[in-house]
Amino acid sequence: MPLFLQEPQIHESAQGPRVTPAAGRTAPTPRPVPGPRSAATPRPGRPVPGPARPTPPAQRAHPAPVPAPAPAPVAPTGAPSRSENRSAPQLQLIPAPAGGALDAAEEAVDLLLESGRAPGDILVLTTGEQHPWAAHELSFGDAAYWAQQDAGDDVFFADASAVDRAKPRPVVVVAVNGDAGDTVARALPVARDRAVALLIVCGDPQTINSALGAGV
């Protein structure tokens, strides 16, 4: 009589040994599928930023009191003009021989620029030989040369004989580098009138004093 082997019955309670996680360790959980990283999500390895600092409440602006407009002053008939009312410029004398007056004037310009003066604030006048820059620019025509004075964006060099065409600037530097006659006597007072804040004269002190008077 043939023998039939019975298949072993498998009960649910005997599905095999259950692995228990070691003490202090948690069972691994499946990782979520990473999605697209937003701009606010930090890169790996960077700390997660904390909560945003709350914005302080806006302070209520208190309107400042508007002062009442002051009445415009009315100048009496025959009152002096503004040019006559403005204070006289400061005078500075730099002793130098006629042959070194232009070099002294250029050194004065360098010091002015280093101290913060804008190039367009400075006018340089020569009573003798013209500054090389002026001679070069005049070779392109008189109109183009004086147009640079009107632009007012750089130091302007001019001959003292044309001081009447020079426009006022905060600083006027005069190099008495020759022609100690009528040109100096006429140019220095006009140069003082063209200087708004400072007049620097480089040359022989006696010649300068006689042209400007005892006010130097």
Side-chain angles (χ1 to χ4, degrees), residues 2-167:
L3 298 176
F4 296 96
L5 298 178
Q6 290 183 346
E7 295 182 359
Q9 295 182 359
I10 300 175
H11 300 280
E12 293 180 1
S13 60
Q15 292 181 358
R18 179 174 298 177
V19 179
T20 304
R25 297 178 60 184
T26 58
T29 56
R31 295 184 179 180
V33 179
R37 185 167 57 243
S38 62
T41 306
R43 293 183 179 180
R46 293 190 177 183
V48 179
R53 182 177 300 176
T55 305
Q59 297 181 356
R60 180 177 299 176
H62 298 281
V66 180
V74 179
T77 306
S81 62
R82 180 181 177 184
S83 60
E84 295 174 353
N85 280 333
R86 69 178 177 87
S87 58
Q90 179 184 356
L91 301 179
Q92 182 177 351
L93 172 61
I94 301 178
L102 185 56
D103 291 337
E106 289 183 337
E107 292 178 2
V109 171
D110 291 339
L111 291 175
L112 289 168
L113 296 176
E114 291 175 2
S115 66
R117 277 287 181 183
D121 289 349
I122 305 172
L123 168 67
V124 181
L125 300 173
T126 55
T127 63
E129 184 179 359
Q130 285 185 343
H131 189 276
W133 180 90
H136 177 266
E137 294 300 323
L138 280 169
S139 65
F140 297 99
D142 190 74
Y145 166 74
W146 289 104
Q148 298 188 52
Q149 176 188 225
D150 298 335
D153 54 2
D154 204 350
V155 181
F156 189 74
F157 298 85
D159 191 278
S161 60
V163 67
D164 293 334
R165 298 186 62 178
K167 294 183 177 181

